[in-house]
């Protein structure tokens, strides 16, 4: 008696793929919302208790160390705890920055930066989710942009030019906007199947946009 081979139809495979994609997207947005809330909580605590700035070395060690830990645990349940540790730490680093705005009487700029960040995220997400456009072509431009930003940051360490600092912040906003478009497209087209890694990518982009807006608004107000 011959074997009966049951093959999965293209329609069934496509539906399964769509369900998987929607699950990753849903879990990503849920975890992103929770980590943003936790980050806001640690930033508020850091602001209220006026915790000292971590310093460049500690900030780099904390960020990259926790980022490495998150990537190592991304396929395990412990990865969620690593994400909260990372975003909580980044929220703590915002405290001294926010305190400087509050102390100078420009706390209204914090809300402007927050509103600008939210607008960028929702517009980018809405565009990709409604058009389903493949944004993978941005990867090459983003790599070039990253190199330009890195060179500009190194140059500004020695030059300390305010105009260059503003340019770097503007480049960070453009780069992070592209990263949101690319990551969202990557999720809905099945390129990213790990919602923990997707959450970290989107969070980092939002963090960079918020801090860059603060820098631009702060310099403009001081002028």
């Amino acid at each position: 008696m011959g074997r009966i081979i049951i093959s999965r139809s293209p329609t069934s495979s496509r539906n399964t793929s769509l369900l998987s994609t929607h699950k990753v997207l849903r879990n990503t947005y849920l975890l992103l919302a929770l980590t943003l809330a936790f980050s806001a909580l640690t930033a508020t605590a850091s602001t209220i208790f006026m915790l000292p700035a971590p310093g460049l070395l500690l900030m780099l060690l904390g960020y990259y160390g926790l980022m490495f830990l998150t990537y190592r645990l991304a396929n395990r349940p412990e990865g969620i705890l690593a994400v909260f540790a990372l975003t909580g730490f980044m929220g703590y680093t915002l405290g001294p920055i926010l305190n400087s705005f509050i102390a100078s009487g420009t706390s209204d700029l914090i809300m402007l930066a927050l509103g600008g960040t939210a607008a960028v995220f929702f517009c980018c997400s809405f565009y990709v989710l409604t058009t389903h456009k493949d944004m993978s072509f941005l990867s090459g431009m983003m790599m070039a942009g990253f190199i330009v930003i890195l060179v500009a940051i190194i140059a500004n360490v020695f030059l300390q030019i305010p105009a260059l600092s503003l340019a770097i912040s503007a480049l960070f906003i453009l780069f992070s906007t592209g990263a949101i478009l690319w990551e969202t497209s990557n999720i809905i087209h099945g390129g990213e199947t790990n919602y923990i890694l997707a959450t970290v990518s989107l969070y980092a982009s939002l963090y960079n946009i918020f801090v860059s807006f603060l820098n631009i608004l702060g310099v403009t107000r001081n002028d």
Side-chain angles (χ1 to χ4, degrees):
M1 182 179 294
R3 292 183 301 171
I4 298 176
I5 300 176
I6 302 176
S7 61
R8 180 178 295 181
S9 66
T11 302
S12 177
S13 299
R14 184 163 57 251
N15 289 338
T16 302
S17 178
L18 287 174
L19 288 174
S20 178
T21 299
H22 289 160
K23 182 179 179 181
V24 173
L25 188 65
R26 182 177 65 252
N27 289 342
T28 298
Y29 282 162
L30 175 60
L31 184 57
L32 180 64
L34 293 174
T35 52
L36 286 173
F38 183 66
S39 185
L41 183 64
T42 56
T44 301
S46 179
T47 303
I48 293 175
F49 296 106
M50 295 185 178
L51 299 179
L56 180 59
L57 181 60
L58 180 58
M59 182 174 178
L60 291 176
L61 288 175
Y63 174 74
Y64 286 107
L66 290 171
M67 180 70 78
F68 175 77
L69 180 64
T70 302
Y71 271 77
R72 286 293 302 271
L73 300 176
N75 294 310
R76 296 163 57 182
E78 294 85 351
I80 296 178
L81 296 178
V83 173
F84 277 98
L86 172 63
T87 55
F89 175 76
M90 297 310 293
Y92 153 65
T93 64
L94 284 175
I97 300 175
L98 300 181
N99 267 329
S100 66
F101 280 84
I102 295 173
S104 62
T106 56
S107 57
D108 58 311
L109 298 183
I110 297 175
M111 297 307 299
L112 282 175
L114 187 62
T117 303
V120 170
F121 176 73
F122 286 121
C123 287
C124 290
S125 299
F126 179 78
Y127 174 74
V128 176
L129 293 176
T130 54
T131 64
H132 293 274
K133 188 173 182 180
D134 186 0
M135 308 299 290
S136 58
F137 66 91
L138 290 175
S139 58
M141 290 185 287
M142 288 176 60
M143 179 58 67
F146 174 77
I147 295 174
V148 171
I149 292 174
L150 183 61
V151 171
I153 291 175
I154 295 174
N156 202 42
V157 170
F158 300 99
L159 300 177
Q160 295 294 314
I161 302 175
L164 182 56
S165 177
L166 285 176
I168 292 172
S169 294
L171 287 173
F172 259 117
I173 292 175
L174 291 175
F175 177 83
S176 298
T177 299
I180 292 173
L181 290 170
W182 180 84
E183 189 62 56
T184 306
S185 172
N186 203 27
I187 294 172
I188 66 174
H189 288 97
E192 179 59 84
T193 58
N194 189 302
Y195 68 92
I196 291 179
L197 298 182
T199 298
V200 170
S201 175
L202 291 175
Y203 177 89
S205 297
L206 292 173
Y207 181 93
N208 287 331
I209 292 174
F210 178 64
V211 172
S212 297
F213 269 135
L214 280 178
N215 186 46
I216 293 174
L217 293 171
V219 171
T220 303
R221 178 65 62 87
N222 287 337
D223 286 343

